[in-house]
Amino acid sequence: MASFIPNTLSTSKLHSYLLSAVAPRPIAFASTIDANGNANLSPFSFFNVFSANPPILIFSPARRVRDNTTKHTLHNVEATKEVVINVVNYDLVHQMSLASTEYPEAVNEFEKAGLHMLESDIVKPFRVAESPVQFECKVNEIIKLGTEGGAGNLVICEVVKLHIDDDFLNEDKTINQNKLDLVARAGGSLYSRANKGFFEIPKPLSNLGIGVDNFPDHVKNSMILTGNNLGMLGNVETLPSKDEVDAFVNDLGARYPKIKEATHREKHTLARKYLSFGDVQSAWKILLS
């Protein structure tokens, strides 16, 4: 058995061991606002429920390992003492991943991820309309665990109102957990789907993805593409050029002779097929053809 003393390992190595061994972890999709009212949305897997009376959730926006900086979410809860914690199910996991991109301060991750803001009843931060369960919370306390990269900041949240989508409730008002299909985080790029086990999502680009807000309208408002499809498409740094699109469509014509005359609906259906295999670039070339 390999054995280690924590302080003999680099922080990044220890971080990797911890996240791979203590898994899967539930995800807090935390919505906050800054002191000027700008919306922010970011996921955190250092998260769980710790009390029912009072109802307490705790999540931890840790200091970044690479440069010891802190996250916008931490700044916002320090300033406003409010947060909405939205749960993540499989239907929105790619949009959640896109929202984890480190966009500049005051950029609205709801818009980048193609998610809808829903007004809360008690607190000021918005809820994620697509999330099946949303917890409006007051922040009771923030406990800082250290000052170096990797140190956590425990945000102790008291639930003041919770919202559950009726579609996920049984007749006796209990949650249908099989239908809920929650997603949890593991190490590296691995996630765990409650119903089906591990799957992988490539980490968002170190450079910024274009985001759903920069899509052509027919893609942004597609009736065919799912939220997960939009999340995958939004995590590209640039769109293919016209020359790249034309070359791809010419090659594609051998398999799909009518692709140039296809409707948006037909192209979106074909693009969704490519996305099911993780081929985002080809999907974009079809959508832009």
Side-chain angles (χ1 to χ4, degrees), residues 84-243:
V84 176
I85 294 177
N86 307 273
V87 306
V88 177
N89 66 348
Y90 186 74
D91 287 344
L92 60 89
V93 66
H94 282 275
Q95 289 169 286
M96 176 276 300
S97 178
L98 180 56
S100 71
T101 302
E102 293 180 9
Y103 291 107
E105 194 167 7
V107 168
N108 188 333
E109 288 86 359
F110 280 92
E111 295 176 356
K112 285 293 178 185
L115 296 167
H116 294 89
M117 297 189 297
L118 188 63
E119 286 193 4
S120 297
D121 293 339
I122 296 177
V123 301
K124 291 180 181 177
F126 295 93
R127 295 178 276 151
V128 175
E130 290 81 358
S131 172
V133 185
Q134 309 137 6
F135 299 97
E136 297 185 36
C137 300
K138 297 284 188 179
V139 175
N140 288 349
E141 187 178 2
I142 300 172
I143 301 174
K144 299 180 184 297
L145 301 180
T147 59
E148 300 301 319
N153 298 275
L154 303 186
V155 181
I156 301 175
C157 309
E158 183 169 349
V159 180
V160 294
K161 192 164 189 176
L162 64 153
H163 308 266
I164 306 171
D165 189 325
D166 289 333
D167 287 344
F168 299 93
L169 289 175
N170 298 312
E171 290 185 4
D172 63 356
K173 297 301 181 182
T174 58
I175 291 177
N176 184 325
Q177 294 185 70
N178 285 315
K179 191 173 182 181
L180 191 60
D181 199 10
L182 292 177
V183 166
R185 195 71 171 88
S189 57
L190 287 177
Y191 289 77
S192 179
R193 187 175 179 181
N195 289 345
K196 296 188 177 180
F198 282 122
F199 65 99
E200 190 169 5
I201 297 180
K203 291 187 176 182
L205 292 169
S206 55
N207 295 313
L208 303 184
I210 62 169
V212 176
D213 56 330
N214 288 314
F215 287 7
D217 285 343
H218 74 89
V219 178
K220 185 190 308 182
N221 302 318
S222 174
M223 300 297 291
I224 302 297
L225 300 171
T226 67
N228 277 336
N229 294 152
L230 297 180
M232 294 172 72
L233 291 166
N235 191 33
V236 296
E237 188 178 358
T238 58
L239 294 177
S241 68
K242 184 179 185 303
D243 287 344

Side-chain angles (χ1 to χ4, degrees), residues 11-12 14-16 18-19 25 28 30 42-47 58-75 77-78 100 102 142-155:
T11 301
S12 60
L14 179 58
H15 184 258
S16 175
L18 291 171
L19 268 60
R25 302 178 305 282
S42 187
F44 299 91
S45 69
F46 289 179
F47 164 65
I58 299 177
F59 75 100
S60 177
R63 303 180 73 92
R64 295 183 180 91
V65 172
R66 69 174 183 274
D67 59 7
N68 196 24
T69 55
T70 52
K71 299 184 178 181
H72 300 146
T73 300
L74 178 61
H75 305 165
V77 295
E78 288 174 333
S100 71
E102 293 180 9
I142 300 172
I143 301 174
K144 299 180 184 297
L145 301 180
T147 59
E148 300 301 319
N153 298 275
L154 303 186
V155 181

